[in-house]
């Protein structure tokens, strides 16, 4: 059956977190997407291009296009509100089904984020969500260095650092 791995936007671009982590994890066999609260440098930015390639390019992301959370037409999505990313992931999975004929069961959707506020809302979705960057956090609870490959696992349910 098909799998989908979805990441939050990783702020520290000098660290190749997505490509480093996917190679040795179950996500290397998944469709891959990103959900960002911001706009990742804006339309046609180099930053978006780099992220798309780090996620596996057109094949892993289906088309490599970016869309807004208000009108999801891809697996690379910007402007998704904190605490509402589960709604964006639902629209991404629905788009994948309706536009590409790829039917991914909810239990095969895995979301990773460094903010606890983005993890708990996944509790009633049937999706899996895991907080990452647990070993390095600032005083405000934000992960400092991204997640580690050991945090990208196919665990079921919703899990936070605490």
């Amino acid at each position: 059956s098909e799998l989908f791995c979805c990441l939050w936007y990783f702020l520290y671009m000098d660290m190749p977190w997505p490509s480093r982590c996917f190679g040795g994890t179950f996500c290397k066999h998944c469709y891959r997407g990103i959900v960002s609260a911001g706009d990742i440098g804006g339309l046609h930015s180099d930053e978006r291009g780099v992220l798309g390639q780090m996620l596996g390019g057109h094949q892993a992301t289906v088309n490599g296009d970016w869309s807004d959370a208000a009108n999801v037409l891809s697996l690379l999505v910007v402007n998704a509100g904190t605490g509402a990313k589960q709604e964006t992931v639902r629209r991404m999975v629905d788009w994948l089904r309706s536009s590409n004929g790829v039917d991914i069961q909810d239990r095969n959707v895995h979301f990773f984020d460094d903010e606890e506020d983005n993890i708990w809302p996944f509790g009633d979705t049937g999706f899996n969500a895991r907080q990452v960057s647990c070993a390095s956090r600032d005083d405000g609870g934000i992960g400092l260095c991204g997640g580690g490959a050991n945090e990208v696992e196919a665990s079921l349910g919703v899990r936070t650092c605490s």
Side-chain angles (χ1 to χ4, degrees), residues 4-51:
F4 176 53
C5 289
C6 189
L7 297 172
W8 80 107
Y9 166 54
F10 182 53
L11 183 61
Y12 304 96
M13 286 301 298
D14 59 329
M15 296 181 66
W17 190 83
S19 58
R20 179 186 57 181
C21 288
F22 285 140
T25 73
F26 78 101
C27 284
K28 68 182 175 184
H29 302 292
C30 302
Y31 289 97
R32 300 177 206 138
I34 228 170
V35 176
S36 173
D39 72 354
I40 309 183
L43 191 61
H44 307 298
S45 71
D46 290 342
E47 200 170 0
R48 287 187 186 188
V50 168
L51 278 171

Side-chain angles (χ1 to χ4, degrees), residues 64-95:
D65 292 338
W66 291 83
S67 59
D68 192 274
N71 185 28
V72 173
L73 300 172
S74 68
L75 298 181
L76 305 172
V77 181
V78 295
N79 301 318
T82 297
K85 291 185 177 182
Q86 73 283 359
E87 297 165 9
T88 302
V89 172
R90 170 64 63 204
R91 289 192 291 272
M92 294 163 79
V93 171
D94 289 347
W95 170 82

Side-chain angles (χ1 to χ4, degrees), residues 107-124:
R107 71 174 186 264
N108 291 332
V109 174
H110 298 269
F111 177 79
F112 302 91
D113 198 301
D114 69 339
E115 290 188 44
E116 187 173 324
D117 289 345
N118 288 324
I119 300 300
W120 287 121
F122 278 82
D124 294 328

